[in-house]
Amino acid sequence: MKYKFSNFNNKLIISDEQNVILSDIKIRINYSRSKNISYVPSLIEENGCVTTIHFEREEQRTWLPESNHIKLIFKEENSALLATADFACTDYSGTYNYTYMAFESAFIDFAVPENKDGMLNLHSTIPYWLTPSFAMDMKDFKCFLETEIGSLSYKIENDHIHILPLINSDVRTHIETKGLVIDTCVANKQSINAGVFMIASSESPFDSIRNNFIAGRALNEIISPLIEEKEIPNIFNGFGWCTWNAFYKEVTSEKIYQQLDDFKQKGIKIKWLLVDDGWQQFDDKNTLISIEEDREKFPEGLKAFTKKVKEEYGVAYIGVWHAFEGYWRGISKDGELYKNNKELFFETPTGFVVPGETEEKAFKFWDMQHSYLKAQGIDFVKVDNQASASSKYDNILPGANAARTLHKAIERSVFKHFGGAIINCMGCKMENILSRPMSAISRNSDDFFPNRKHGFISHINQNVYIAPVHSQIYKCDYDMFWTHHETATVSAVLRAISGGPVYISDEVGKTVPEVLKPLVTPDGDTWRFDAAAMVTKDLFYTDCSEAETPLKVWNKSGDNFVVAAFGITIDKTVKGTFKLEDIPNANGKYLVHDFFNDKYFVLDDEGKIALETAYNDCSLYSLYKISEDDTVKIGDKTYYAEAADPNSKTVALKDIVNIQL
């Protein structure tokens, strides 16, 4: 086995072949009337790839013998470890009943070794999104209010360790300052038997993450298929436009026509259109009245609108936004939707009316809604506000059952009516990420906020540090942007290399064609890289805005790579270097095209590229693998995504003009 277990001073230690990777492990349990009871390791049993750790109560009682059994069972798979909690309450004394509290039911305390060289945690400062933090001590983790840590990576010498909290039908888990928190989400449970976390070590931070997901999937602890098992909807291959930042909730069909006229006049081909929030009938309480469109905003009706957009403007696909709960605060009890379909909804003790608590009830609601939309000519949906839904079912459904039930129900409907064409949004928490049964596209970050000063810093940081985890299961959506914005160029480059959908949300008449020229072909095509744009290995644990170094981001297409260096230190020009060793599996010789300087040169394992990047600016390099016969397949150098050009051409190295050897 790769991993070893030992008991030191009544605390469990896990080691790999080189280092201690996790230490000071013990268990604390909150029983219904007896909180914070500690258990320490007492016996280690090994049986092949399975190691069982027995725990005993740290402070023994004299009035009643301890008969609860507390175990952690570790199973090694694909260079990763699955930790399963096997806890059972069996103590009874008269009328005293040992059961688990619904929330903070149990804790697996642990410590990250002090000799680490870097640490990255992905936490939710608000319930919907993950955000990177580079705190070097667990006590400095930002754990407050709704904050939960959904992924933890750290480096010890040449070891990169990743911990992935798990969710399932029995429990939800996340990391806080002292270790792992386990929630059963319902009261009076007398046992916990569930996978609670994965841990893996590797020489690459990307491989440790990857190994956790592969092992978790193989052991049926991760129900969502890995990205390579999914089919990506063709709808999102082309260039799109979304109404949100153009009109917000004041969207109308007439305003959309005006913007489509502007695109047409400027020769910009739009292949898909997303009508965002504001098109539905909702009240001043932010609850949904009807599944049909607001006829004051779309007087011709949704069906006539989609017909005109497709026939007169040549837009191939049209989608609409809706919320996971119906609308932001659920369903209105005063509307016909509720009155005619009461049996499909569930009312919470706090008055929210939301899709029903069973899969069939929720499916019937969305089936009704999506059936109507399909009949109006709608081709896909964006489903928002996902991470807030499960809280409505706390103490009703255990573990992540609420999230799993709702995601399964809505995806049944989406695959029935739209062939799986859905953009999942505001659901970048592990409870949602790990609960979706088949959908392939998920928003990777908080919104593009055009009026938020220095907003690109947090936007790119979220995207490129979360992508190594999120992209294991999804094509990552880096959100829309404006072409008439101070960050237009860096935003366009980030989307071009993102590997996900490419779309804008320009206001009427303000689209700048020159910004789109290197991003979109005249036919409205965009070229997609294989994976997701993510931070390079050498900067995996670095906040580049504070370190005053360029943020290096990479992706790949076959044997080719793309690397961009972004200046995100406010009002400063920063310097750095790029080497092939900064990205996985890049070795040998590459022909490099410097996009913004239009120069070609050769880079090998010994070479490096000097970087110098101003704030809100970037450099962009396409790396083409050189064959043994000194030929190379190169793409159209006028596009940011040239290394992913599906029509690349093979040329001899000697025939490339102005190459620097």
Side-chain angles (χ1 to χ4, degrees):
M1 290 180 62
K2 175 178 179 178
Y3 301 98
K4 301 297 181 183
F5 301 84
S6 57
N7 184 351
F8 181 74
N9 288 339
N10 286 332
K11 291 180 181 178
L12 181 67
I13 295 173
I14 303 176
S15 306
D16 66 7
E17 295 152 331
Q18 300 179 48
N19 297 292
V20 171
I21 62 172
L22 206 63
S23 64
D24 296 356
I25 302 171
K26 68 176 185 177
I27 293 169
R28 288 181 294 125
I29 293 180
N30 281 331
Y31 297 112
S32 55
R33 297 291 182 93
S34 188
K35 297 181 180 179
N36 209 33
I37 306 301
S38 295
Y39 294 82
V40 296
S42 59
L43 176 65
I44 299 175
E45 294 181 331
E46 295 184 358
N47 183 11
C49 63
V50 176
T51 300
T52 301
I53 316 296
H54 298 260
F55 289 77
E56 64 182 12
R57 190 166 177 144
E58 188 169 26
E59 295 182 2
Q60 295 295 330
R61 297 173 300 184
T62 58
W63 60 277
L64 181 68
E66 176 74 31
S67 59
N68 294 341
H69 83 252
I70 308 295
K71 302 176 187 176
L72 282 179
I73 303 170
F74 292 89
K75 183 172 184 178
E76 187 167 332
E77 172 79 22
N78 193 58
S79 299
L81 281 175
L82 164 66
T84 297
D86 181 9
F87 305 163
C89 299
T90 56
D91 275 342
Y92 296 91
S93 176
T95 59
Y96 200 91
N97 183 13
Y98 271 73
T99 60
Y100 298 110
M101 291 180 60
F103 298 96
E104 296 188 341
S105 315
F107 303 84
I108 301 176
D109 292 342
F110 61 76
V112 172
E114 294 182 359
N115 61 329
K116 58 191 173 296
D117 303 309
M119 190 150 64
L120 168 68
N121 75 72
L122 305 180
H123 64 278
S124 53
T125 51
I126 57 176
Y128 319 106
W129 308 110
L130 293 173
T131 299
S133 171
F134 306 90
M136 282 292 288
D137 196 310
M138 289 179 64
K139 65 179 176 58
D140 296 324
F141 287 174
K142 298 177 180 178
C143 297
F144 55 91
L145 298 178
E146 295 92 353
T147 298
E148 298 177 356
I149 293 171
S151 171
L152 178 62
S153 296
Y154 49 96
K155 181 176 183 289
I156 302 171
E157 297 178 352
N158 293 323
D159 269 353
H160 295 268
I161 298 95
H162 178 245
I163 302 176
L164 177 68
L166 294 174
I167 62 95
N168 49 60
S169 57
D170 289 320
V171 299
R172 293 196 306 237
T173 74
H174 63 273
I175 296 171
E176 290 187 351
T177 54
K178 292 184 178 181
L180 191 82
V181 182
I182 301 173
D183 298 325
T184 63
C185 303
V186 290
N188 295 319
K189 286 200 70 173
Q190 293 180 313
S191 65
I192 296 173
N193 194 305
V196 289
F197 70 90
M198 306 289 305
I199 182 169
S201 68
S202 175
E203 292 183 355
S204 161
F206 308 109
D207 287 344
S208 60
I209 293 169
R210 180 67 175 161
N211 290 342
N212 269 339
F213 276 87
I214 291 175
R217 179 70 174 145
L219 295 169
N220 295 318
E221 291 295 334
I222 294 176
I223 63 167
S224 185
L226 303 180
I227 185 60
E228 60 268 24
E229 301 175 64
K230 295 181 176 180
E231 184 176 346
I232 313 301
N234 292 328
I235 285 176
F236 304 108
N237 286 346
F239 182 55
W241 175 64
C242 175
T243 63
W244 179 242
N245 295 120
F247 313 124
Y248 298 102
K249 286 190 177 183
E250 303 307 314
V251 62
T252 68
S253 59
E254 184 57 37
K255 291 177 181 178
I256 293 173
Y257 298 145
Q258 291 174 11
Q259 179 60 14
L260 293 177
D261 284 332
D262 186 61
F263 286 142
K264 199 171 186 178
Q265 181 183 354
K266 292 174 178 176
I268 298 168
K269 176 68 174 177
I270 297 293
K271 287 202 167 182
W272 56 274
L273 162 67
L274 173 57
V275 182
D276 214 292
D277 187 10
W279 67 273
Q280 295 169 293
Q281 297 180 43
F282 55 90
D283 58 22
D284 55 5
K285 298 177 183 177
N286 266 344
T287 57
L288 189 67
I289 298 172
S290 168
I291 61 173
E292 297 184 10
E293 65 275 19
D294 183 340
R295 280 303 186 108
E296 291 186 4
K297 295 180 176 181
F298 291 78
E300 70 275 52
L302 198 56
K303 190 169 187 175
F305 164 77
T306 60
K307 187 174 188 292
K308 179 175 180 176
V309 169
K310 291 179 179 181
E311 292 181 357
E312 294 188 22
Y313 294 99
V315 176
Y317 306 107
I318 301 172
V320 294
W321 174 101
H322 70 75
F324 209 29
E325 299 94 328
Y327 203 61
W328 292 105
R329 292 185 60 83
I331 312 295
S332 171
K333 294 183 72 172
D334 298 324
E336 292 300 314
L337 173 61
Y338 176 79
K339 292 177 181 178
N340 295 333
N341 302 279
K342 290 181 181 179
E343 73 281 1
L344 302 184
F345 303 117
F346 167 73
E347 184 171 0
T348 72
T350 53
F352 284 96
V353 177
V354 292
E357 72 280 12
T358 69
E359 182 185 335
E360 285 307 312
K361 288 181 182 180
F363 168 73
K364 286 178 181 178
F365 164 59
W366 283 312
D367 183 49
M368 175 177 59
Q369 184 179 31
H370 294 161
S371 178
Y372 173 78
L373 293 174
K374 184 67 175 179
Q376 311 313 305
I378 296 302
D379 303 292
F380 69 94
V381 289
K382 170 186 172 183
V383 180
D384 220 337
N385 202 33
Q386 293 188 12
S388 71
S390 69
S391 64
K392 315 295 192 307
Y393 305 85
D394 283 346
N395 281 311
I396 304 296
L397 296 173
N401 264 0
R404 285 189 169 189
T405 298
L406 295 174
H407 282 297
K408 189 174 181 180
I410 198 168
E411 291 198 11
R412 276 178 61 191
S413 180
V414 166
F415 275 83
K416 175 181 176 181
H417 297 288
F418 308 119
I422 178 177
I423 298 176
N424 294 291
C425 192
M426 292 180 71
C428 203
K429 285 180 65 173
M430 284 303 162
E431 183 177 17
N432 301 97
I433 291 171
L434 300 179
S435 289
R436 302 184 188 110
M438 188 53 71
S439 60
I441 295 179
S442 181
R443 265 278 297 281
N444 197 46
S445 71
D446 202 348
D447 291 10
F448 161 72
F449 292 101
N451 299 317
R452 181 175 290 179
K453 192 172 180 62
H454 306 304
F456 183 75
I457 298 174
S458 59
H459 190 78
I460 190 172
N461 273 339
Q462 267 191 302
N463 276 298
V464 304
Y465 285 96
I466 291 163
V469 172
H470 201 199
S471 66
Q472 301 301 322
I473 296 183
Y474 300 99
K475 275 291 180 185
C476 298
D477 174 2
Y478 287 43
D479 202 25
M480 59 202 92
F481 71 101
W482 275 356
T483 64
H484 55 288
H485 194 265
E486 62 180 357
T487 64
T489 297
V490 289
S491 293
V493 169
L494 180 62
R495 273 59 173 197
I497 69 174
S498 71
V502 176
Y503 57 121
I504 59 175
S505 54
D506 284 356
E507 297 171 300
V508 173
K510 294 186 179 181
T511 300
V512 182
E514 291 75 20
V515 172
L516 296 177
K517 191 173 181 181
L519 182 63
V520 187
T521 72
D523 294 329
D525 292 327
T526 56
W527 301 334
R528 181 177 289 167
F529 285 90
D530 295 343
M534 59 188 73
V535 64
T536 55
K537 178 181 177 180
D538 57 311
L539 297 175
F540 196 87
Y541 308 99
T542 303
D543 183 347
C544 294
S545 61
E546 297 293 330
E548 299 188 9
T549 189
L551 173 56
K552 295 180 292 185
V553 180
W554 69 279
N555 205 335
K556 63 172 296 189
S557 178
D559 292 331
N560 299 334
F561 293 93
V562 63
V563 177
F566 296 87
I568 61 170
T569 304
I570 297 173
D571 296 333
K572 289 188 177 182
T573 295
V574 293
K575 296 181 180 181
T577 59
F578 168 75
K579 299 178 181 179
L580 291 180
E581 65 186 31
D582 295 341
I583 52 181
N585 304 315
N587 52 71
K589 289 173 60 178
Y590 291 84
L591 176 69
V592 181
H593 181 231
D594 178 345
F595 180 88
F596 289 106
N597 292 309
D598 192 17
K599 292 180 180 179
Y600 287 99
F601 57 91
V602 173
L603 181 69
D604 60 20
D605 295 327
E606 304 301 320
K608 62 183 179 180
I609 301 174
L611 306 172
E612 185 172 347
T613 313
Y615 180 57
N616 274 346
D617 201 357
C618 67
S619 304
L620 181 64
Y621 303 93
S622 295
L623 282 64
Y624 300 99
K625 186 74 171 180
I626 299 173
S627 300
E628 292 182 1
D629 61 357
D630 275 350
T631 61
V632 62
K633 293 183 71 173
I634 61 174
D636 187 334
K637 68 177 185 177
T638 62
Y639 290 96
Y640 295 143
E642 58 177 285
D645 183 353
N647 303 306
S648 59
K649 298 178 180 179
T650 301
V651 298
L653 204 60
K654 62 182 178 62
D655 294 334
I656 297 176
V657 179
N658 296 326
I659 187 172
Q660 299 175 11
L661 298 173

